[in-house]
Amino acid sequence: MKLKPYIWIAGLTITTVGVVLPGNSQPTTPANTLFQTSTISALAAGVYDGDTNFQELKKHGDFGLGTVNALDGEMIGLDGKFYQIKSNGVASLVSDQMKSPFAVVTFFKPQTTIRLPGQMTYQQMQQSLDQKITTKNYPYALRIQGNFPYLKVRSVPKQKPPYPPLVNAVKAQTIFELKNVNGTLVGFRLPAYMAGVNVSGYHFHFITKDKKTGGHLLDGQLQNLQVEISKISNVAINLPKNPGFAQGDLGDGRAVEINQVER
Ligand SMILES: [Zn+2]
């Protein structure tokens, strides 16, 4: 049996997750628990190497987003499969041995479906969803399908040590303009009080239906959306146990930078 300590910041639970019984392939984390490795402020500070691999992440979720070590592109998890979308726009499955410096996952079990008819911008979609969400004090996981007349997504190039802060690394991002694509948006809406730990507000990654391309959503025209939502009341955070994280400058000054690069 392997025990790993995690910090639970919601529900005031101090416990351990990631308990793996020999021969037990069942998920070890309950549905609709948000599990993340490291923090967005660490990523903003240039901590691009984590020690959690995808074999471990899959024990905590079948759905989510983030990146992979060395900031080598955008990561998206959907239906138990995890993809890396490199800065050339090409999506491929990650291996179980690959590691992530920042990832947010959950076993997605939607409780509510909202339909948003007509065409809207990404901004308008966020406003419509905010009107329908009854409380903004919980995290939400969201899976969105529909028609996408236009999507502006990005990916980031692999970095070499010594790593620059995220605000500099993102200057070399590649932007892709996708027209009339089918696919799925995977994302979260997180309360403002989680800023620094994660991206507050909405954060989506997209992958096309053929799983060939996608990226971090920047803007778009979206049409006739089906938005599946689950409310989350448990958050578990696994912090890296490496010198990069230990020595990183994770002071509270990263909020402005995070807003610049993650919106
Ligand atoms: Zn992102």
Side-chain angles (χ1 to χ4, degrees), residues 162-240:
Y163 292 137
L166 189 59
V167 70
N168 291 347
V170 164
K171 284 177 186 160
Q173 70 184 2
T174 323
I175 290 176
F176 308 104
E177 296 187 294
L178 309 175
K179 301 220 168 106
N180 297 314
V181 281
N182 291 317
T184 306
L185 286 163
V186 165
F188 297 91
R189 184 197 192 284
L190 301 181
Y193 63 76
M194 286 186 70
V197 172
N198 204 314
V199 178
S200 66
Y202 292 94
H203 182 189
F204 288 98
H205 287 188
F206 178 76
I207 190 155
T208 54
K209 195 176 177 189
D210 62 12
K211 309 293 190 287
K212 286 188 172 162
T213 192
H216 168 103
L217 181 65
L218 294 173
D219 202 357
Q221 288 289 335
L222 309 94
Q223 202 175 47
N224 299 333
L225 302 179
Q226 173 189 282
V227 184
E228 295 168 285
I229 300 183
S230 78
K231 187 156 82 178
I232 286 169
S233 55
N234 276 300
V235 178
I237 305 170
N238 168 227
L239 299 176

Side-chain angles (χ1 to χ4, degrees), residues 12-242:
L12 298 175
T13 311
I14 297 170
T15 185
T16 56
V17 294
V19 180
V20 184
L21 300 173
N24 181 356
S25 62
Q26 293 300 305
T28 54
T29 301
N32 296 329
T33 295
L34 186 150
F35 176 92
Q36 72 174 71
T37 186
S38 196
T39 67
I40 192 69
S41 50
L43 198 74
V47 183
Y48 299 150
D49 288 328
D51 43 26
T52 301
N53 67 24
F54 280 85
Q55 186 177 28
E56 175 71 17
L57 277 172
K58 286 175 183 172
K59 292 175 192 163
H60 302 290
D62 57 3
F63 174 100
L65 53 74
T67 184
V68 302
N69 271 13
L71 198 73
D72 192 6
E74 307 285 347
M75 185 277 284
I76 179 170
L78 180 63
D79 301 328
K81 294 198 168 89
F82 288 81
Y83 304 86
Q84 170 191 24
I85 300 154
K86 290 196 168 214
S87 62
N88 63 4
V90 176
S92 58
L93 282 170
V94 301
S95 72
D96 281 353
Q97 288 70 44
M98 281 173 74
K99 293 178 180 178
S100 173
F102 179 74
V104 192
V105 301
T106 188
F107 285 109
F108 186 66
K109 290 255 184 321
Q111 301 134 345
T112 314
T113 301
I114 294 173
R115 286 179 202 284
L116 299 178
Q119 187 161 319
M120 70 213 86
T121 64
Y122 179 32
Q123 199 68 36
Q124 288 165 336
M125 182 192 84
Q126 295 180 45
Q127 287 161 0
S128 297
L129 289 174
D130 274 351
Q131 284 168 7
K132 293 180 192 284
I133 288 172
T134 51
T135 163
K136 303 196 170 50
N137 294 339
Y138 292 93
Y140 294 90
L142 304 106
R143 180 170 63 195
I144 304 182
Q145 280 160 313
N147 300 323
F148 303 106
Y150 170 73
L151 289 179
K152 184 177 175 183
V153 297
R154 72 107 192 272
S155 185
V156 284
K158 185 177 182 176
Q159 300 294 306
K160 292 194 186 80
Y163 292 137
L166 189 59
V167 70
N168 291 347
V170 164
K171 284 177 186 160
Q173 70 184 2
T174 323
I175 290 176
F176 308 104
E177 296 187 294
L178 309 175
K179 301 220 168 106
N180 297 314
V181 281
N182 291 317
T184 306
L185 286 163
V186 165
F188 297 91
R189 184 197 192 284
L190 301 181
Y193 63 76
M194 286 186 70
V197 172
N198 204 314
V199 178
S200 66
Y202 292 94
H203 182 189
F204 288 98
H205 287 188
F206 178 76
I207 190 155
T208 54
K209 195 176 177 189
D210 62 12
K211 309 293 190 287
K212 286 188 172 162
T213 192
H216 168 103
L217 181 65
L218 294 173
D219 202 357
Q221 288 289 335
L222 309 94
Q223 202 175 47
N224 299 333
L225 302 179
Q226 173 189 282
V227 184
E228 295 168 285
I229 300 183
S230 78
K231 187 156 82 178
I232 286 169
S233 55
N234 276 300
V235 178
I237 305 170
N238 168 227
L239 299 176
K241 290 164 270 305
N242 59 39

